[in-house]
Amino acid sequence: MTCGFKQFIGAVTMVACSMFVAQAHAEDKVLKVGCEPTFPPFEFLDDNAQPIGYDIDIIKAIGEEEGVKIEIVTMPFDGLIPALITAQLDASISGITITEERAKKVDFTEPYYDSGLSAVVLSENKDKFQKISDLSKSRICSQIGTTGAAHAQKISGNVASFNTNPEAFMELRAKGCDAVLLDKPVNGYFLSKSKVGEYYEIPEILNAEQYGIAVKKGNQQVSQILNSGLEKIRKNGKFDEIYNKWFAAKK
Ligand code: GLN
């Protein structure tokens, strides 16, 4: 077969076209990212029902750095991992604690936040509950599918689990349970927004936990984008800026 000028031009055009397609593809890439938005200050809804918070800023900054669009999708917390498994989502950022059990079902990025659990009780019961182990005969409220719910099971085995965190706090207020067991920074945010003296946080951190962004198992392309973006925002100061925006005032 001869390779004349026409074929040569054709080949160049094809290469140029496929480069253009690849370029356009990278710019158009949209990552569908799930979260459960009752977990302030990590993810919650503003007055216009738009998700805001630390996690939302982190994932958007990663998207900007990596040139991918981020589409936030909200759903119940216990739906996030199943939605990754069935590929309805590309990733989930929702204060998700990296656990061995979850790591069998999904991949996690490098950790991006150090957390732990704490318990909030009504101030009127402060003397009764000085340590978390004092809750061993108590009914404990938590959110379905969370590490808080799993630990509440170990502490007393008497657990009321709710779809959202505000429901768990409402139940505590209504005295339907003795404590809410939840991630300490989220309890801290709740206390900062509550009437002074109404609630009391038992001064104990139950479990050292780290949050990671969850990705469908084996999806290295998405994991790489997220890890690379995380590394870049750690280096260029954006990560610290976001941390200070949501947490510095409370340090
Ligand atoms: N960090 C906890 C967990 O992963 C709670 C997360 C949440 O309620 N958003 O189970």
Side-chain angles (χ1 to χ4, degrees):
M1 194 185 122
T2 55
C3 183
F5 184 66
K6 261 193 186 160
Q7 282 92 338
F8 174 72
I9 291 295
V12 169
T13 313
M14 259 170 64
V15 170
C17 272
S18 59
M19 275 168 69
F20 174 75
V21 169
Q23 180 75 20
H25 192 72
E27 276 166 12
D28 287 341
K29 184 145 181 74
V30 178
L31 287 188
K32 261 195 181 183
V33 181
C35 75
E36 190 284 313
T38 70
F39 202 62
F42 296 94
E43 39 272 318
F44 55 114
L45 300 179
D46 69 9
D47 294 341
N48 302 315
Q50 294 307 307
I52 55 168
Y54 176 81
D55 283 352
I56 307 298
D57 284 353
I58 291 283
I59 196 72
K60 283 188 176 161
I62 291 174
E64 246 167 58
E65 216 52 63
E66 294 296 316
V68 294
K69 289 200 182 102
I70 303 294
E71 184 191 329
I72 305 284
V73 181
T74 60
M75 60 177 68
F77 187 76
D78 64 342
L80 293 171
I81 289 182
L84 286 173
I85 292 172
T86 53
Q88 290 167 51
L89 293 174
D90 296 305
S92 287
I93 189 162
S94 204
I96 305 176
T97 302
I98 302 171
T99 67
E100 250 178 61
E101 205 190 324
R102 288 174 180 162
K104 287 179 195 152
K105 299 181 195 156
V106 290
D107 290 335
F108 282 101
T109 60
E110 292 300 316
Y112 68 92
Y113 188 89
D114 292 332
S115 194
L117 301 174
S118 74
V120 169
V121 298
L122 294 174
S123 290
E124 62 190 64
N125 293 328
K126 186 176 166 181
D127 297 338
K128 226 162 101 187
F129 304 121
Q130 292 182 351
K131 306 182 287 328
I132 288 183
S133 59
D134 293 337
L135 293 166
S136 64
K137 295 198 165 47
S138 294
R139 184 161 175 79
I140 304 174
C141 282
S142 65
Q143 190 180 19
I144 295 173
T146 61
T147 49
H151 271 80
Q153 203 59 48
K154 288 185 204 155
I155 295 165
S156 73
N158 183 359
V159 185
S161 288
F162 298 88
N163 263 324
T164 67
N165 290 305
E167 288 171 282
F169 282 114
M170 265 157 57
E171 187 71 358
L172 172 66
R173 192 160 190 215
K175 302 189 181 175
C177 60
D178 296 315
V180 168
L181 191 69
L182 201 61
D183 300 46
K184 187 173 168 54
V186 178
N187 276 337
Y189 187 89
F190 172 77
L191 291 175
S192 76
K193 300 285 172 198
S194 305
K195 218 163 80 194
V196 179
E198 194 170 5
Y199 301 96
Y200 172 73
E201 183 182 29
I202 300 177
E204 198 181 328
I205 301 182
L206 190 58
N207 200 27
E209 301 190 354
Q210 287 187 308
Y211 297 163
I213 308 171
V215 174
K216 183 175 166 53
K217 202 147 204 52
N219 192 340
Q220 283 172 11
Q221 197 202 1
V222 172
S223 288
Q224 263 163 23
I225 291 173
L226 299 178
N227 277 324
S228 147
L230 257 182
E231 199 183 322
K232 285 181 198 158
I233 63 170
R234 279 189 195 277
K235 284 193 179 137
N236 70 13
K238 191 82 196 155
F239 188 92
D240 288 343
E241 202 182 290
I242 295 170
Y243 185 90
N244 290 335
K245 172 177 165 190
W246 293 101
F247 297 104
K250 291 173 209 79
K251 259 198 210 164

mmCIF file of all heavy atoms in Angstrom, residues 52-88:
data_model
loop_
_atom_site.group_PDB
_atom_site.id
_atom_site.type_symbol
_atom_site.label_atom_id
_atom_site.label_comp_id
_atom_site.label_asym_id
_atom_site.label_seq_id
_atom_site.Cartn_x
_atom_site.Cartn_y
_atom_site.Cartn_z
ATOM 1 N N ILE A 52 -23.587 23.351 51.220
ATOM 2 C CA ILE A 52 -22.374 24.119 51.527
ATOM 3 C C ILE A 52 -21.626 23.387 52.633
ATOM 4 O O ILE A 52 -22.168 22.465 53.253
ATOM 5 C CB ILE A 52 -22.686 25.571 52.003
ATOM 6 C CG1 ILE A 52 -23.655 25.570 53.210
ATOM 7 C CG2 ILE A 52 -23.272 26.395 50.875
ATOM 8 C CD1 ILE A 52 -23.763 26.924 53.904
ATOM 9 N N GLY A 53 -20.389 23.816 52.920
ATOM 10 C CA GLY A 53 -19.640 23.253 54.035
ATOM 11 C C GLY A 53 -18.204 22.941 53.659
ATOM 12 O O GLY A 53 -17.782 23.136 52.514
ATOM 13 N N TYR A 54 -17.495 22.460 54.647
ATOM 14 C CA TYR A 54 -16.073 22.137 54.485
ATOM 15 C C TYR A 54 -15.856 21.133 53.355
ATOM 16 O O TYR A 54 -15.031 21.357 52.459
ATOM 17 C CB TYR A 54 -15.573 21.580 55.824
ATOM 18 C CG TYR A 54 -14.146 21.105 55.835
ATOM 19 C CD1 TYR A 54 -13.094 22.004 55.979
ATOM 20 C CD2 TYR A 54 -13.847 19.749 55.720
ATOM 21 C CE1 TYR A 54 -11.779 21.560 55.984
ATOM 22 C CE2 TYR A 54 -12.536 19.301 55.738
ATOM 23 C CZ TYR A 54 -11.504 20.213 55.881
ATOM 24 O OH TYR A 54 -10.210 19.774 55.892
ATOM 25 N N ASP A 55 -16.601 20.022 53.396
ATOM 26 C CA ASP A 55 -16.424 18.981 52.367
ATOM 27 C C ASP A 55 -16.736 19.516 50.970
ATOM 28 O O ASP A 55 -16.068 19.171 49.997
ATOM 29 C CB ASP A 55 -17.367 17.799 52.641
ATOM 30 C CG ASP A 55 -16.861 16.900 53.765
ATOM 31 O OD1 ASP A 55 -15.724 17.101 54.222
ATOM 32 O OD2 ASP A 55 -17.617 15.992 54.162
ATOM 33 N N ILE A 56 -17.767 20.343 50.892
ATOM 34 C CA ILE A 56 -18.191 20.880 49.581
ATOM 35 C C ILE A 56 -17.078 21.776 49.022
ATOM 36 O O ILE A 56 -16.732 21.696 47.838
ATOM 37 C CB ILE A 56 -19.521 21.685 49.722
ATOM 38 C CG1 ILE A 56 -20.597 20.852 50.427
ATOM 39 C CG2 ILE A 56 -19.999 22.202 48.370
ATOM 40 C CD1 ILE A 56 -21.033 19.579 49.748
ATOM 41 N N ASP A 57 -16.492 22.606 49.905
ATOM 42 C CA ASP A 57 -15.385 23.471 49.450
ATOM 43 C C ASP A 57 -14.182 22.641 49.027
ATOM 44 O O ASP A 57 -13.515 22.955 48.046
ATOM 45 C CB ASP A 57 -14.972 24.436 50.572
ATOM 46 C CG ASP A 57 -15.971 25.581 50.731
ATOM 47 O OD1 ASP A 57 -16.885 25.691 49.897
ATOM 48 O OD2 ASP A 57 -15.819 26.367 51.692
ATOM 49 N N ILE A 58 -13.902 21.578 49.800
ATOM 50 C CA ILE A 58 -12.738 20.725 49.475
ATOM 51 C C ILE A 58 -12.941 20.070 48.105
ATOM 52 O O ILE A 58 -12.059 20.133 47.241
ATOM 53 C CB ILE A 58 -12.539 19.628 50.559
ATOM 54 C CG1 ILE A 58 -12.081 20.235 51.894
ATOM 55 C CG2 ILE A 58 -11.572 18.534 50.086
ATOM 56 C CD1 ILE A 58 -10.631 20.633 51.985
ATOM 57 N N ILE A 59 -14.100 19.493 47.869
ATOM 58 C CA ILE A 59 -14.295 18.756 46.602
ATOM 59 C C ILE A 59 -14.329 19.730 45.420
ATOM 60 O O ILE A 59 -13.813 19.432 44.336
ATOM 61 C CB ILE A 59 -15.544 17.835 46.658
ATOM 62 C CG1 ILE A 59 -15.517 16.811 45.525
ATOM 63 C CG2 ILE A 59 -16.850 18.582 46.623
ATOM 64 C CD1 ILE A 59 -14.523 15.719 45.660
ATOM 65 N N LYS A 60 -14.883 20.931 45.639
ATOM 66 C CA LYS A 60 -14.907 21.918 44.543
ATOM 67 C C LYS A 60 -13.490 22.400 44.233
ATOM 68 O O LYS A 60 -13.146 22.608 43.073
ATOM 69 C CB LYS A 60 -15.809 23.092 44.916
ATOM 70 C CG LYS A 60 -17.278 22.731 44.767
ATOM 71 C CD LYS A 60 -18.164 23.950 44.941
ATOM 72 C CE LYS A 60 -19.624 23.609 44.707
ATOM 73 N NZ LYS A 60 -20.516 24.595 45.289
ATOM 74 N N ALA A 61 -12.690 22.585 45.277
ATOM 75 C CA ALA A 61 -11.301 23.035 45.058
ATOM 76 C C ALA A 61 -10.522 21.960 44.300
ATOM 77 O O ALA A 61 -9.725 22.268 43.409
ATOM 78 C CB ALA A 61 -10.637 23.348 46.405
ATOM 79 N N ILE A 62 -10.775 20.699 44.637
ATOM 80 C CA ILE A 62 -10.113 19.595 43.919
ATOM 81 C C ILE A 62 -10.542 19.629 42.443
ATOM 82 O O ILE A 62 -9.716 19.525 41.540
ATOM 83 C CB ILE A 62 -10.473 18.230 44.561
ATOM 84 C CG1 ILE A 62 -9.823 18.102 45.939
ATOM 85 C CG2 ILE A 62 -10.059 17.065 43.657
ATOM 86 C CD1 ILE A 62 -10.233 16.847 46.723
ATOM 87 N N GLY A 63 -11.840 19.809 42.217
ATOM 88 C CA GLY A 63 -12.368 19.852 40.854
ATOM 89 C C GLY A 63 -11.721 20.973 40.045
ATOM 90 O O GLY A 63 -11.310 20.775 38.897
ATOM 91 N N GLU A 64 -11.605 22.146 40.665
ATOM 92 C CA GLU A 64 -10.986 23.294 39.981
ATOM 93 C C GLU A 64 -9.546 22.986 39.610
ATOM 94 O O GLU A 64 -9.103 23.247 38.503
ATOM 95 C CB GLU A 64 -10.983 24.495 40.933
ATOM 96 C CG GLU A 64 -11.878 25.615 40.463
ATOM 97 C CD GLU A 64 -12.086 26.631 41.568
ATOM 98 O OE1 GLU A 64 -11.094 27.187 42.065
ATOM 99 O OE2 GLU A 64 -13.260 26.831 41.938
ATOM 100 N N GLU A 65 -8.838 22.416 40.565
ATOM 101 C CA GLU A 65 -7.418 22.107 40.368
ATOM 102 C C GLU A 65 -7.210 21.085 39.254
ATOM 103 O O GLU A 65 -6.268 21.172 38.489
ATOM 104 C CB GLU A 65 -6.891 21.543 41.698
ATOM 105 C CG GLU A 65 -5.510 21.896 42.074
ATOM 106 C CD GLU A 65 -5.221 23.378 42.026
ATOM 107 O OE1 GLU A 65 -5.851 24.156 42.787
ATOM 108 O OE2 GLU A 65 -4.347 23.745 41.220
ATOM 109 N N GLU A 66 -8.146 20.125 39.173
ATOM 110 C CA GLU A 66 -7.990 19.023 38.216
ATOM 111 C C GLU A 66 -8.751 19.264 36.908
ATOM 112 O O GLU A 66 -8.750 18.407 36.023
ATOM 113 C CB GLU A 66 -8.488 17.713 38.851
ATOM 114 C CG GLU A 66 -7.647 17.249 40.023
ATOM 115 C CD GLU A 66 -6.219 16.893 39.611
ATOM 116 O OE1 GLU A 66 -6.046 16.224 38.581
ATOM 117 O OE2 GLU A 66 -5.278 17.299 40.323
ATOM 118 N N GLY A 67 -9.461 20.393 36.804
ATOM 119 C CA GLY A 67 -10.195 20.691 35.580
ATOM 120 C C GLY A 67 -11.390 19.771 35.346
ATOM 121 O O GLY A 67 -11.714 19.453 34.209
ATOM 122 N N VAL A 68 -12.026 19.319 36.434
ATOM 123 C CA VAL A 68 -13.248 18.520 36.267
ATOM 124 C C VAL A 68 -14.405 19.231 36.971
ATOM 125 O O VAL A 68 -14.198 19.921 37.966
ATOM 126 C CB VAL A 68 -13.112 17.075 36.844
ATOM 127 C CG1 VAL A 68 -12.109 16.276 36.072
ATOM 128 C CG2 VAL A 68 -12.782 17.091 38.327
ATOM 129 N N LYS A 69 -15.581 19.077 36.404
ATOM 130 C CA LYS A 69 -16.759 19.703 37.023
ATOM 131 C C LYS A 69 -17.262 18.790 38.138
ATOM 132 O O LYS A 69 -17.233 17.565 37.999
ATOM 133 C CB LYS A 69 -17.871 19.875 35.992
ATOM 134 C CG LYS A 69 -17.559 20.940 34.975
ATOM 135 C CD LYS A 69 -18.858 21.415 34.305
ATOM 136 C CE LYS A 69 -18.548 22.444 33.237
ATOM 137 N NZ LYS A 69 -18.586 21.912 31.875
ATOM 138 N N ILE A 70 -17.739 19.397 39.209
ATOM 139 C CA ILE A 70 -18.276 18.605 40.322
ATOM 140 C C ILE A 70 -19.781 18.812 40.391
ATOM 141 O O ILE A 70 -20.253 19.942 40.493
ATOM 142 C CB ILE A 70 -17.632 19.048 41.666
ATOM 143 C CG1 ILE A 70 -16.103 18.934 41.624
ATOM 144 C CG2 ILE A 70 -18.237 18.275 42.843
ATOM 145 C CD1 ILE A 70 -15.547 17.533 41.495
ATOM 146 N N GLU A 71 -20.504 17.716 40.333
ATOM 147 C CA GLU A 71 -21.960 17.797 40.505
ATOM 148 C C GLU A 71 -22.295 17.132 41.833
ATOM 149 O O GLU A 71 -22.040 15.943 42.026
ATOM 150 C CB GLU A 71 -22.639 17.056 39.340
ATOM 151 C CG GLU A 71 -24.146 17.151 39.373
ATOM 152 C CD GLU A 71 -24.800 16.195 38.371
ATOM 153 O OE1 GLU A 71 -24.201 15.910 37.315
ATOM 154 O OE2 GLU A 71 -25.900 15.722 38.697
ATOM 155 N N ILE A 72 -22.843 17.926 42.757
ATOM 156 C CA ILE A 72 -23.166 17.378 44.081
ATOM 157 C C ILE A 72 -24.565 16.763 44.059
ATOM 158 O O ILE A 72 -25.524 17.395 43.606
ATOM 159 C CB ILE A 72 -23.126 18.495 45.165
ATOM 160 C CG1 ILE A 72 -21.767 19.222 45.162
ATOM 161 C CG2 ILE A 72 -23.457 17.931 46.547
ATOM 162 C CD1 ILE A 72 -20.625 18.494 45.786
ATOM 163 N N VAL A 73 -24.645 15.539 44.563
ATOM 164 C CA VAL A 73 -25.926 14.836 44.628
ATOM 165 C C VAL A 73 -26.173 14.519 46.104
ATOM 166 O O VAL A 73 -25.287 14.008 46.778
ATOM 167 C CB VAL A 73 -25.844 13.500 43.844
ATOM 168 C CG1 VAL A 73 -27.166 12.761 43.882
ATOM 169 C CG2 VAL A 73 -25.399 13.743 42.402
ATOM 170 N N THR A 74 -27.373 14.827 46.608
ATOM 171 C CA THR A 74 -27.631 14.531 48.017
ATOM 172 C C THR A 74 -28.475 13.264 48.152
ATOM 173 O O THR A 74 -29.351 12.994 47.323
ATOM 174 C CB THR A 74 -28.352 15.705 48.724
ATOM 175 O OG1 THR A 74 -29.583 15.935 48.070
ATOM 176 C CG2 THR A 74 -27.517 16.968 48.688
ATOM 177 N N MET A 75 -28.187 12.504 49.187
ATOM 178 C CA MET A 75 -28.945 11.269 49.468
ATOM 179 C C MET A 75 -28.709 10.840 50.919
ATOM 180 O O MET A 75 -27.794 11.365 51.560
ATOM 181 C CB MET A 75 -28.544 10.157 48.488
ATOM 182 C CG MET A 75 -27.096 9.763 48.498
ATOM 183 S SD MET A 75 -26.773 8.379 47.369
ATOM 184 C CE MET A 75 -27.040 9.131 45.795
ATOM 185 N N PRO A 76 -29.502 9.899 51.438
ATOM 186 C CA PRO A 76 -29.271 9.444 52.807
ATOM 187 C C PRO A 76 -27.874 8.837 52.982
ATOM 188 O O PRO A 76 -27.330 8.276 52.023
ATOM 189 C CB PRO A 76 -30.347 8.376 53.015
ATOM 190 C CG PRO A 76 -31.389 8.662 52.007
ATOM 191 C CD PRO A 76 -30.678 9.262 50.837
ATOM 192 N N PHE A 77 -27.329 8.959 54.193
ATOM 193 C CA PHE A 77 -25.949 8.507 54.421
ATOM 194 C C PHE A 77 -25.767 7.031 54.069
ATOM 195 O O PHE A 77 -24.791 6.655 53.429
ATOM 196 C CB PHE A 77 -25.543 8.763 55.886
ATOM 197 C CG PHE A 77 -24.094 8.479 56.127
ATOM 198 C CD1 PHE A 77 -23.113 9.358 55.713
ATOM 199 C CD2 PHE A 77 -23.701 7.295 56.742
ATOM 200 C CE1 PHE A 77 -21.765 9.080 55.901
ATOM 201 C CE2 PHE A 77 -22.356 7.009 56.941
ATOM 202 C CZ PHE A 77 -21.381 7.910 56.527
ATOM 203 N N ASP A 78 -26.741 6.208 54.481
ATOM 204 C CA ASP A 78 -26.569 4.769 54.228
ATOM 205 C C ASP A 78 -26.791 4.395 52.758
ATOM 206 O O ASP A 78 -26.650 3.232 52.390
ATOM 207 C CB ASP A 78 -27.449 3.921 55.164
ATOM 208 C CG ASP A 78 -28.938 4.146 54.929
ATOM 209 O OD1 ASP A 78 -29.300 5.174 54.318
ATOM 210 O OD2 ASP A 78 -29.738 3.299 55.348
ATOM 211 N N GLY A 79 -27.114 5.393 51.906
ATOM 212 C CA GLY A 79 -27.251 5.128 50.475
ATOM 213 C C GLY A 79 -25.976 5.438 49.701
ATOM 214 O O GLY A 79 -25.862 5.089 48.525
ATOM 215 N N LEU A 80 -25.027 6.103 50.343
ATOM 216 C CA LEU A 80 -23.850 6.582 49.603
ATOM 217 C C LEU A 80 -22.975 5.436 49.077
ATOM 218 O O LEU A 80 -22.588 5.437 47.907
ATOM 219 C CB LEU A 80 -23.005 7.508 50.495
ATOM 220 C CG LEU A 80 -23.671 8.848 50.858
ATOM 221 C CD1 LEU A 80 -22.857 9.584 51.922
ATOM 222 C CD2 LEU A 80 -23.827 9.728 49.613
ATOM 223 N N ILE A 81 -22.679 4.477 49.938
ATOM 224 C CA ILE A 81 -21.802 3.376 49.496
ATOM 225 C C ILE A 81 -22.508 2.493 48.464
ATOM 226 O O ILE A 81 -21.931 2.206 47.410
ATOM 227 C CB ILE A 81 -21.218 2.606 50.711
ATOM 228 C CG1 ILE A 81 -20.188 3.532 51.395
ATOM 229 C CG2 ILE A 81 -20.601 1.264 50.295
ATOM 230 C CD1 ILE A 81 -19.454 2.964 52.571
ATOM 231 N N PRO A 82 -23.786 2.116 48.687
ATOM 232 C CA PRO A 82 -24.488 1.373 47.626
ATOM 233 C C PRO A 82 -24.507 2.126 46.292
ATOM 234 O O PRO A 82 -24.366 1.517 45.232
ATOM 235 C CB PRO A 82 -25.909 1.212 48.191
ATOM 236 C CG PRO A 82 -25.719 1.230 49.668
ATOM 237 C CD PRO A 82 -24.578 2.166 49.937
ATOM 238 N N ALA A 83 -24.648 3.460 46.334
ATOM 239 C CA ALA A 83 -24.686 4.232 45.074
ATOM 240 C C ALA A 83 -23.323 4.216 44.378
ATOM 241 O O ALA A 83 -23.251 4.334 43.154
ATOM 242 C CB ALA A 83 -25.131 5.665 45.345
ATOM 243 N N LEU A 84 -22.261 4.079 45.143
ATOM 244 C CA LEU A 84 -20.928 3.946 44.521
ATOM 245 C C LEU A 84 -20.782 2.559 43.905
ATOM 246 O O LEU A 84 -20.280 2.416 42.789
ATOM 247 C CB LEU A 84 -19.823 4.146 45.572
ATOM 248 C CG LEU A 84 -19.597 5.583 46.036
ATOM 249 C CD1 LEU A 84 -18.613 5.614 47.190
ATOM 250 C CD2 LEU A 84 -19.075 6.440 44.883
ATOM 251 N N ILE A 85 -21.230 1.569 44.651
ATOM 252 C CA ILE A 85 -21.107 0.182 44.172
ATOM 253 C C ILE A 85 -21.861 0.013 42.850
ATOM 254 O O ILE A 85 -21.374 -0.632 41.925
ATOM 255 C CB ILE A 85 -21.623 -0.803 45.257
ATOM 256 C CG1 ILE A 85 -20.673 -0.768 46.460
ATOM 257 C CG2 ILE A 85 -21.747 -2.231 44.705
ATOM 258 C CD1 ILE A 85 -21.147 -1.534 47.678
ATOM 259 N N THR A 86 -23.030 0.655 42.742
ATOM 260 C CA THR A 86 -23.830 0.503 41.518
ATOM 261 C C THR A 86 -23.494 1.590 40.482
ATOM 262 O O THR A 86 -24.225 1.759 39.505
ATOM 263 C CB THR A 86 -25.333 0.564 41.845
ATOM 264 O OG1 THR A 86 -25.576 1.780 42.586
ATOM 265 C CG2 THR A 86 -25.774 -0.615 42.677
ATOM 266 N N ALA A 87 -22.418 2.342 40.741
ATOM 267 C CA ALA A 87 -21.903 3.359 39.807
ATOM 268 C C ALA A 87 -22.901 4.491 39.514
ATOM 269 O O ALA A 87 -22.830 5.128 38.479
ATOM 270 C CB ALA A 87 -21.436 2.711 38.512
ATOM 271 N N GLN A 88 -23.803 4.751 40.450
ATOM 272 C CA GLN A 88 -24.662 5.938 40.279
ATOM 273 C C GLN A 88 -23.911 7.198 40.666
ATOM 274 O O GLN A 88 -24.313 8.308 40.351
ATOM 275 C CB GLN A 88 -25.896 5.815 41.161
ATOM 276 C CG GLN A 88 -26.860 4.749 40.691
ATOM 277 C CD GLN A 88 -27.885 4.455 41.753
ATOM 278 O OE1 GLN A 88 -28.524 5.353 42.285
ATOM 279 N NE2 GLN A 88 -28.035 3.204 42.095
#
